[in-house]
Amino acid sequence: METRASLKGVRLSPRKARLVARNIVGMDASKALDILQFTPQKAAGIIRQVLYSAVSNSANNTSIDADNLVVKEIIVNEGPSWKRFLPRAQGRATQIIKRTSHITVILAEN
């Protein structure tokens, strides 16, 4: 049995989010929440919220005990990018791309 939770359009680069997500795949959900709580990156707090939501979904929707859950997969896809311009010398402009992410956490029974 699998449960999932997702967050779309979060203002975080997918590359930076994948660095944090890679550390907790395959762990117990409770241990992964503890590790994310003390990880200093911005992505850790966001992924922790999505993971907590997935644990709550499993408890409410499928009546699976939270102690038996394992992080099966974390998918971090690229969302729409914000395009901004920065003025440069001699009347030119440089494009700045502010990236966003779609994060999905999938939990499975142990």
Side-chain angles (χ1 to χ4, degrees):
M1 193 77 177
E2 291 182 353
T3 57
R4 63 177 56 212
S6 63
L7 177 65
K8 296 189 176 212
V10 64
R11 180 62 187 88
L12 177 70
S13 171
R15 184 175 179 180
K16 294 176 183 178
R18 286 185 194 114
L19 287 173
V20 175
R22 185 173 36 203
N23 293 331
I24 61 168
V25 172
M27 288 187 180
D28 292 336
S30 59
K31 185 176 179 183
L33 284 170
D34 291 339
I35 288 174
L36 288 173
Q37 184 174 2
F38 296 107
T39 304
Q41 282 83 7
K42 175 184 174 181
I46 294 169
I47 293 173
R48 185 176 189 277
Q49 289 177 346
V50 181
L51 179 60
Y52 187 77
S53 177
V55 171
S56 298
N57 288 345
S58 68
N60 290 329
N61 299 340
T62 59
S63 301
I64 298 174
D65 189 23
D67 297 330
N68 296 332
L69 292 173
V70 175
V71 179
K72 180 180 179 184
E73 191 175 6
I74 298 179
I75 302 166
V76 181
N77 291 328
E78 189 170 341
S81 297
W82 298 354
K83 294 175 178 71
R84 301 290 183 262
F85 289 94
L86 183 69
R88 302 299 285 200
Q90 298 180 358
R92 294 182 176 91
T94 302
Q95 187 176 25
I96 295 176
I97 299 175
K98 298 187 175 192
R99 302 187 185 277
T100 62
S101 301
H102 300 322
I103 300 172
T104 304
V105 175
I106 301 172
L107 302 177
E109 256 187 305
N110 193 2

